[in-house]
């Protein structure tokens, strides 16, 4: 069989799996960049207004159609890749894994907060929500450096 670029159990599918991983990373990150911004607009909409309902609807669709499926795909493909290259003991991967666990927690927190907002509860301040908007950018910088440069 052809195994032009292959390593590990994935053989020649390795690069396809890696490409799919990066594609779903882009979809997931797009959602992680959009949702905190939606939450800021949602929180600032007048309680009970049509605008507030529209934001709740947009958030629910973004989460269900893009963010949740993309997150599951990124995890499944990423774990397949790590089994394939057998680098789970390396520091770049351990630190990447920690960052991604943090990003997954951030995803869950935002989904929970979108539900709270939809139920009329505004427990976080606008300033906190604005600060949270910076997390996906920071995580992207850290994770991309870890996987490409592998400084550790
Ligand atoms: C969800 C858990 C994740 C796991 C378990 C995981 C694991 C991996 C593994 C093992 C590789 C393969 C490295 C190689 O073949 O040399 C990889 C590649 C990559 N990952 Fe992830 N990853 C995850 C999430 C993410 C996230 C959230 C990002 C970006 C924000 C990301 C960005 C990348 C990039 C850009 C590559 C390609 C690097 C290259 O080989 O050139 N990954 N990932």
């Amino acid at each position: 069989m052809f195994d032009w670029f292959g390593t590990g159990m994935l053989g020649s599918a390795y690069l396809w799996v890696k490409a799919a991983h990066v594609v779903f990373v882009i979809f997931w990150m797009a959602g992680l960049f959009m949702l905190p911004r939606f939450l800021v607009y949602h929180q600032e909409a007048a309680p009970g207004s049509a605008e507030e309902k529209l934001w709740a609807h947009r958030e629910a669709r973004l989460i269900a159609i893009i963010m949740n499926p993309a997150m599951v795909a990124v995890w499944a493909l990423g774990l397949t890749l790590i089994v394939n290259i057998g680098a789970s003991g390396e520091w770049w991967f351990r630190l990447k894994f920690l960052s991604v666990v943090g990003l997954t927690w951030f995803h869950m927190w935002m989904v929970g907060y979108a539900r709270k907002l939809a139920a009329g509860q505004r427990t976080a301040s606008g300033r906190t929500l604005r600060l949270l908007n910076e997390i996906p950018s920071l995580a992207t910088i850290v994770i991309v450096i870890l996987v490409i440069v592998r400084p550790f």
Side-chain angles (χ1 to χ4, degrees):
M1 282 297 287
F2 303 118
D3 188 26
W4 297 313
F5 316 109
T7 57
M9 63 173 189
L10 290 173
S12 54
Y14 165 59
L15 291 182
W16 288 98
V17 173
K18 188 147 84 166
H21 176 65
V22 176
V23 167
F24 284 105
V25 161
I26 292 171
F27 293 164
W28 187 29
M29 295 310 300
L32 287 174
F33 278 107
M34 285 166 79
L35 188 56
R37 189 82 336 245
F38 281 20
L39 296 180
V40 168
Y41 295 141
H42 187 165
Q43 173 130 320
E44 287 171 359
S49 63
E51 192 194 345
E52 192 192 34
K53 287 195 181 64
L54 195 55
W55 282 115
H57 174 71
R58 287 174 181 139
E59 285 154 12
R61 283 180 69 85
L62 180 67
I63 292 165
I65 298 172
I66 298 178
M67 294 180 64
N68 283 344
M71 180 179 68
V72 171
V74 167
W75 269 102
L77 295 162
L79 291 175
T80 306
L81 284 169
I82 197 61
V83 171
N84 187 71
I85 65 171
S88 55
E90 292 177 24
W91 275 101
W92 69 267
F93 181 73
R94 290 178 176 173
L95 293 174
K96 173 181 178 172
F97 194 78
L98 261 186
S99 315
V100 176
V101 167
L103 216 47
T104 304
W105 176 84
F106 179 64
H107 173 123
M108 304 294 187
W109 185 89
M110 284 198 303
V111 170
Y113 195 70
R115 287 206 190 108
K116 274 191 182 171
L117 281 180
Q121 300 164 25
R122 298 167 191 229
T123 51
S125 69
R127 190 180 134 76
T128 305
L129 286 182
R130 284 193 158 72
L131 281 175
L132 290 177
N133 268 270
E134 307 306 327
I135 290 182
S137 328
L138 293 175
T140 305
I141 294 168
V142 169
I143 295 173
V144 170
I145 291 174
L146 285 171
V147 287
I148 308 274
V149 182
R150 297 191 185 180
F152 309 106

